Amino acid sequence: MDLMGMMGKLKETQQKMEETKNRLNSVLVDEKSNDGLLHITITANRVIKNISISDDLLQDKEMLEDYLVNTINKAIEKATNVNEAEMAAVAKSGMPNIPGMDMFR
């Protein structure tokens, strides 16, 4: 087994992971409440970029709070799925082929 080659491959994979993390800052995920009164935009790295609230929701503080919690959580879940899929793809492509270590395949 070529240890130096393996170390080079791991270093290359680390670099690709960093590049992917940076790229995910520009991947936007949109989430709306079921009735469209609240709209959240979040990056795939789970940073909220925009919140748009209908005037109808501003009349009811409790309802607005519920909408925010539910919609933000759904946006975070979607963004996490995108993030994990992208990072897993990079990790899988960079894993050296070590017998018995096929947990990423």
Side-chain angles (χ1 to χ4, degrees):
M1 192 179 306
D2 175 14
L3 193 58
M4 289 307 285
M6 213 165 79
M7 294 305 283
K9 183 92 167 148
L10 289 173
K11 191 173 178 79
E12 185 182 308
T13 300
Q14 277 183 319
Q15 189 176 349
K16 284 184 184 171
M17 296 281 270
E18 281 305 310
E19 289 167 5
T20 300
K21 263 190 216 171
N22 290 334
R23 186 176 56 77
L24 290 175
N25 283 325
S26 63
V27 174
L28 299 179
V29 176
D30 286 316
E31 183 62 47
K32 290 182 180 173
S33 58
N34 292 336
D35 54 14
L37 296 178
L38 179 68
H39 180 214
I40 309 274
T41 302
I42 186 173
T43 71
N45 282 330
R46 298 171 295 269
V47 174
I48 294 173
K49 287 297 191 181
N50 187 48
I51 297 178
S52 175
I53 302 169
S54 164
D55 289 343
D56 297 346
L57 279 177
L58 296 178
Q59 313 306 317
D60 187 338
K61 182 179 182 286
E62 270 185 41
M63 191 162 107
L64 174 58
E65 290 168 348
D66 288 344
Y67 269 63
L68 284 168
V69 168
N70 290 330
T71 309
I72 289 171
N73 282 333
K74 284 196 290 185
I76 290 170
E77 184 179 343
K78 260 191 198 176
T80 298
N81 289 340
V82 171
N83 185 294
E84 288 176 353
E86 292 284 329
M87 296 305 261
V90 172
K92 184 177 177 181
S93 72
M95 287 303 290
N97 192 7
I98 303 169
M101 294 289 288
D102 56 0
M103 60 191 155
F104 291 109
R105 296 181 191 283

